[in-house]
Amino acid sequence: MALTLEQLRADIADVLGESPEDIPDDENLVDYGLDSVRLMVLVGRWRDAHGLDVAVTDLAERPAVEEWAALLGATG
């Protein structure tokens, strides 16, 4: 099953303890509390649920929802 933009935002919000509506597309997620541990949790979640194989470092270089959506091919 493909990762949707809605699921991407929901997963990010979940690990950050935020509401999905409070996570803007273009903001640096580090400012919202994203750290390496949370990033590894997300990568593992997306690998298990969606079969995505992405390097933590690729996501860490561009920590924004819109950047990740493009990198991960999230739709919708």
Side-chain angles (χ1 to χ4, degrees), residues 3 8 11-12 15 34-60 68 71-72:
L3 180 63
L8 175 75
D11 289 344
I12 293 167
V15 300
L34 182 71
D35 58 22
S36 60
V37 172
R38 288 180 175 95
L39 189 51
M40 287 186 283
V41 168
L42 287 169
V43 168
R45 183 180 292 185
W46 296 331
R47 184 176 294 126
D48 294 345
H50 305 285
L52 295 174
D53 187 23
V54 62
V56 171
T57 54
D58 290 340
L59 297 176
W68 290 3
L71 184 65
L72 298 171

Side-chain angles (χ1 to χ4, degrees), residues 21-34:
E21 301 82 34
D22 293 336
I23 306 293
D25 288 346
D26 59 349
E27 293 286 326
N28 185 329
L29 295 171
V30 173
D31 295 339
Y32 288 80
L34 182 71

